[in-house]
Amino acid sequence: MTSGDAVRSATVCHYKRAGVAPPIEMIERFRVLTGKRAAGRVLDIGAFLLEDLLVYRHVCYLAMLAAKPELRGERPDLGPEFVDGDPADLPFPDGAFDVVVCRFALCCTAKPQTALSEIGRVLRPVGQLLFLEHTRAPGVVGQAQDRAQEMLRGCRRCRLNVEVMPQLYRAGLVVRRADWYWPSAHVRAPLVQGIATRPDPQYERELAWLRNPIRRPGDPPWPGR
């Protein structure tokens, strides 16, 4: 299979399909967040509208993964590099980016937790993940999403019941901000957008201490202090 075939056969979030109105209010809020936070070396995962690119102002390098093919040739001032691949296997070295922007992409990969772990790997220690995804709802709505997902099994449709927040935590990322939105049409899956980072070194040391709290006499109560 060629890289072009891989792009054409990739699963696409239902909010990115023709004829489906995306949740404009949430997307506009996410663009504002991206315009304020995205700077330096940026990896963009899942851009599908020209407006997604227009928000970038202080970017010295922009890599585009899983972007809509029609965006090629846009923003020549930034010279974005379009890359084929799966977010669960990013073709970049460790700590390559200051910011990763991920929109409606976790539902389209078979391994969302692995994708988030990969995002954490390519982020600098002080880098930020800006995310916008639809997620599994709690209660009866979430149960309805699970049943709908079972009926869609085997179809080339995005997954309706990815639990975004638990996947972020399991990937070792720390959520610094999360905003929620309930669309009024289509699949009633809530949307969540926010900011996540890699854990602080002190946080990692304290987690290690909690996992192995046995200390020798005279050792300080917290490692590194």
Side-chain angles (χ1 to χ4, degrees):
M1 179 182 291
T2 66
S3 60
D5 292 333
V7 172
R8 284 192 292 272
S9 64
T11 303
V12 179
C13 176
H14 68 275
Y15 281 126
K16 297 179 183 178
R17 295 195 184 102
V20 177
I24 295 299
E25 177 184 344
M26 197 69 165
I27 288 177
E28 288 295 339
R29 288 165 58 186
F30 187 68
R31 287 178 185 147
V32 171
L33 176 69
T34 301
K36 291 180 178 179
R37 296 272 181 168
R41 297 178 61 85
V42 176
L43 169 61
D44 185 299
I45 303 175
F48 64 105
L49 294 172
L50 175 59
E51 289 79 3
D52 296 333
L53 298 185
L54 296 180
V55 298
Y56 292 123
R57 297 181 180 87
H58 308 292
V59 175
C60 64
Y61 170 73
L62 178 62
M64 307 287 295
L65 183 74
K68 199 169 183 179
E70 288 80 358
L71 294 179
R72 292 179 182 267
E74 301 292 349
R75 290 304 303 265
D77 55 315
L78 293 178
E81 179 182 359
F82 286 79
V83 181
D84 296 331
D86 190 316
D89 187 19
L90 294 175
F92 304 105
D94 297 355
F97 295 99
D98 300 291
V99 177
V100 175
V101 179
C102 184
R103 64 176 75 71
F104 300 131
L106 296 180
C107 60
C108 300
T109 178
K111 301 176 180 178
Q113 183 178 332
T114 303
L116 289 169
S117 297
E118 278 287 275
I119 288 173
R121 179 184 66 79
V122 302
L123 275 175
R124 293 179 55 209
V126 294
Q128 297 181 347
L129 164 63
L130 312 179
F131 61 90
L132 170 60
E133 302 285 342
H134 61 80
T135 184
R136 184 185 186 276
V140 295
V141 177
Q143 295 169 13
Q145 288 174 260
D146 293 339
R147 290 192 294 270
Q149 185 60 40
E150 282 298 318
M151 289 187 289
L152 293 173
R153 185 180 296 275
C155 299
R156 281 177 49 195
R157 300 277 184 127
C158 68
R159 292 172 59 190
L160 303 176
N161 59 346
V162 175
E163 295 183 292
V164 173
M165 301 299 283
Q167 298 284 5
L168 284 162
Y169 296 133
R170 291 170 190 153
L173 297 170
V174 178
V175 177
R176 306 291 183 178
R177 168 180 167 182
D179 300 320
W180 296 81
Y181 175 83
W182 285 81
S184 58
H186 309 301
V187 178
R188 286 194 57 81
L191 279 72
V192 60
Q193 73 166 18
I195 303 169
T197 67
R198 293 171 58 178
D200 299 325
Q202 181 65 30
Y203 175 81
E204 291 181 317
R205 287 195 296 268
E206 292 177 0
L207 276 184
W209 179 85
L210 290 171
R211 294 189 186 104
N212 185 21
I214 300 175
R215 303 191 308 274
R216 295 172 297 179
D219 284 348
W222 297 101
R225 292 187 180 177

